[in-house]
Amino acid sequence: MKKKNLFINIGSLIGISDGYPKRPLKGAEMNRIDKLDNAFLYVAGDTIVDYGDMNDLGNISEIYNNYDNIYDVKNQFVIPGFIDSHTHIVFASWREEEFIMKLQGCSYEEIAKKGGGILNSAKKVQLASEDELFYTALMRVNEVTNYGTVALEIKSGYGLSLESELKMLRVIKKLKEYTKLPIKSTFLGAHAIPMEYKDNRNAYIDLIISKMIPDIANQGLAEYVDVFCDEGFFTLEETENILNAAVKFGLRPRIHVSEMSNNGGVQLGIAHNAITVDHLERIEDEEISALLLSKTLPTVLPQVSFFLKIPFAPARKMIDAGLPLVIASDYNPGTSPSGNLQFAISLATIYQKLTPIEALNAITYNAAHALEYENQLGSIQRGKKASFLILNSNVKNLDFIPYHFGSNKVEKVIINGEIR
Ligand code: NIG
Ligand code: FE
């Protein structure tokens, strides 16, 4: 029997999507948020069954007989859970020593050239046991759920050998099974050229194409493929070859582009039907025009700009041009050592001039589309999963969420009907 849980006295039930278009919100629509004040929400098992005005709930003694549990939300706000569509949450250790190099003036590219960066993480992942990787990643997943993340994408890409990439992807699979969270898995073998292939990069790309992709696809270990298509990492041509191979095995692209340089990666992603193109710090008007003609979702990662002190992606310009927008954390030890999406939306409002509502839609409704969870997650709707957040009593309006940066505004996290 499915447990019947009734949440009553919700101050404001926010992000009700019955009236929204059945696609990502774009342009001016991104500033829309539908809500119901003084509301109830009825959940059976893991699913939202109904919601409505408290005044329509009827006689309270009857109500008590009809439900297994009744939770008094005490006038606090309820919003859809956050969806983090871009993370590298599986890694063996932090890289705070590189942070100090950065503070002393070294750039991300310079650190990478000195054997730091992704290659540093790869060395450590290769040495780590599968259990060690699993438990440390699990702790981080638990950490981000406390900040309101109810679903996420996780990339491989710190393995950089067949064996270690498979190890990372098995860890992601185990996280899915163990946490029961909706998690999508992305193969990012093309994250960097491993040291041993420094003088023979084609051999590594061959390994990705002829061995890694088929093995991973045959074992069902990834849903998507990613490439770090940027200066100093993978060229347009290399990216194209990898995407062509991956698509044949049913792995849809979501790629890293235009973080270090604007190299045409956006257009390449669009041409390969990428579900998202991520980063976009250096894009220009041409890329915005190309995105407007496509279904590829632009994803920005404001924590990376903050942490690396590089330009922020032109998110305001993108929305004003009519684009949809997704925001993600990029949680990783090198360029975004935080998976707190509440901080990401503070940055998006302060530095990218988004409104609090636009930023919230970018990590909920639109982010659900970015992970193909739009039928299950991202908003309050009958039939969707009961994955939502009860905010703390300080929150009296949505502006408060990005405003009160650095603190956790989430009091309770409900994932698939389960109160965490
Ligand atoms: O998304 N840009 C490429 N990959 C990560 C960084 C990974 C790292 O430095 O470990 C990113 O920023
Ligand atoms: Fe990334």
Side-chain angles (χ1 to χ4, degrees):
M1 264 288 279
K2 284 184 184 165
K3 278 248 182 318
K4 294 176 169 180
N5 296 323
L6 184 67
F7 295 80
I8 61 168
N9 297 323
I10 298 171
S12 195
L13 181 62
I14 290 164
I16 298 171
S17 63
D18 298 299
Y20 293 6
K22 304 268 171 282
R23 52 157 174 77
L25 300 170
K26 58 184 183 180
E29 294 164 358
M30 284 207 65
N31 207 27
R32 168 180 186 169
I33 196 110
D34 290 5
K35 64 186 176 77
L36 185 65
D37 293 343
N38 190 32
F40 72 85
L41 182 65
Y42 166 34
V43 172
D46 64 0
T47 305
I48 296 174
V49 176
D50 203 7
Y51 63 84
D53 194 310
M54 276 303 288
N55 296 316
D56 298 333
L57 198 52
N59 181 299
I60 201 80
S61 60
E62 266 173 42
I63 295 166
Y64 272 87
N65 292 331
N66 287 342
Y67 297 93
D68 295 303
N69 294 297
I70 295 185
Y71 298 91
D72 188 349
V73 180
K74 299 190 177 124
N75 258 331
Q76 287 163 223
F77 279 24
V78 166
I79 63 173
F82 305 146
I83 295 157
D84 199 342
S85 64
H86 182 142
T87 85
H88 309 248
I89 215 167
V90 176
F91 54 88
S93 50
W94 297 97
R95 306 206 310 254
E96 64 272 29
E97 67 285 0
E98 292 178 13
F99 173 59
I100 299 302
M101 290 165 77
K102 227 170 282 165
L103 295 183
Q104 290 164 348
C106 248
S107 72
Y108 182 69
E109 290 92 328
E110 284 162 351
I111 293 168
K113 281 207 185 101
K114 289 184 184 162
I118 296 164
L119 295 184
N120 181 0
S121 281
K123 224 184 296 162
K124 288 171 179 152
V125 163
Q126 284 162 12
L127 294 171
S129 73
E130 204 161 313
D131 280 352
E132 204 178 317
L133 288 174
F134 172 71
Y135 286 113
T136 51
L138 179 63
M139 283 192 320
R140 289 177 210 120
V141 170
N142 288 337
E143 178 208 359
V144 299
T145 58
N146 288 332
Y147 285 118
T149 298
V150 300
L152 64 161
E153 181 259 15
I154 308 177
K155 300 174 196 297
S156 69
Y158 291 133
L160 306 185
S161 69
L162 176 64
E163 194 191 322
S164 290
E165 284 294 307
L166 287 170
K167 178 166 70 178
M168 284 193 76
L169 292 165
R170 284 195 301 269
V171 168
I172 300 170
K173 184 171 178 222
K174 227 190 258 181
L175 288 169
K176 290 187 202 189
E177 292 163 357
Y178 185 86
T179 64
K180 299 197 177 65
L181 284 182
I183 292 176
K184 292 266 167 97
S185 167
T186 302
F187 168 56
L188 176 57
H191 200 186
I193 298 284
M195 205 51 105
E196 58 276 28
Y197 289 92
K198 196 164 61 78
D199 300 316
N200 192 6
R201 46 193 298 133
N202 287 341
Y204 184 61
I205 291 157
D206 261 4
L207 177 70
I208 292 177
I209 291 174
S210 51
K211 190 75 183 126
M212 291 187 182
I213 289 173
D215 275 19
I216 285 158
N218 291 336
Q219 294 182 48
L221 283 172
E223 275 106 0
Y224 303 107
V225 66
D226 194 347
V227 176
F228 190 2
C229 176
D230 218 320
E231 199 174 299
F233 292 87
F234 290 83
T235 66
L236 279 179
E237 200 190 333
E238 291 164 349
T239 304
E240 178 152 37
N241 292 337
I242 293 166
L243 297 188
N244 281 334
V247 167
K248 284 196 195 117
F249 283 90
L251 304 179
R252 194 165 169 198
R254 48 185 335 119
I255 58 176
H256 284 73
V257 291
S258 293
E259 179 184 358
M260 316 292 172
S261 69
N262 196 25
N263 59 351
V266 169
Q267 287 84 344
L268 184 75
I270 292 170
H272 287 78
N273 191 29
I275 181 148
T276 69
V277 283
D278 299 26
H279 273 287
L280 311 177
E281 289 86 352
R282 318 269 179 183
I283 64 165
E284 290 176 22
D285 291 352
E286 227 174 287
E287 282 67 38
I288 293 179
S289 306
L291 284 163
L292 279 168
L293 296 173
S294 81
K295 284 211 160 73
T296 296
L297 277 172
T299 301
V300 299
L301 312 166
Q303 294 186 163
V304 174
S305 300
F306 168 77
F307 189 74
L308 296 185
K309 295 203 275 184
I310 63 172
F312 284 83
R316 177 76 270 147
K317 210 170 172 189
M318 292 159 75
I319 295 176
D320 288 345
L323 282 174
L325 193 84
V326 179
I327 296 173
S329 75
D330 199 12
Y331 196 177
N332 78 74
T335 67
S336 177
S338 165
N340 179 355
L341 284 171
Q342 297 175 53
F343 184 56
I345 64 173
S346 288
L347 295 175
T349 53
I350 297 165
Y351 291 102
Q352 292 174 301
K353 301 193 174 74
L354 264 62
T355 69
I357 291 173
E358 288 170 334
L360 196 63
N361 280 324
I363 59 166
T364 55
Y365 197 71
N366 282 4
H369 286 84
L371 288 189
E372 299 177 283
Y373 282 138
E374 65 273 17
N375 295 325
Q376 302 163 51
L377 295 167
S379 64
I380 305 294
Q381 198 179 304
R382 295 175 188 90
K384 276 198 175 180
K385 295 285 181 225
S387 291
F388 56 86
L389 314 174
I390 300 175
L391 302 182
N392 67 34
S393 59
N394 284 330
V395 185
K396 305 270 188 257
N397 55 63
L398 291 179
D399 302 336
F400 194 82
I401 304 176
Y403 159 75
H404 192 38
F405 76 90
S407 80
N408 191 358
K409 273 76 61 184
V410 173
E411 185 170 296
K412 277 216 156 48
V413 182
I414 292 87
I415 300 181
N416 292 335
E418 211 180 283
I419 302 183
R420 300 261 170 155

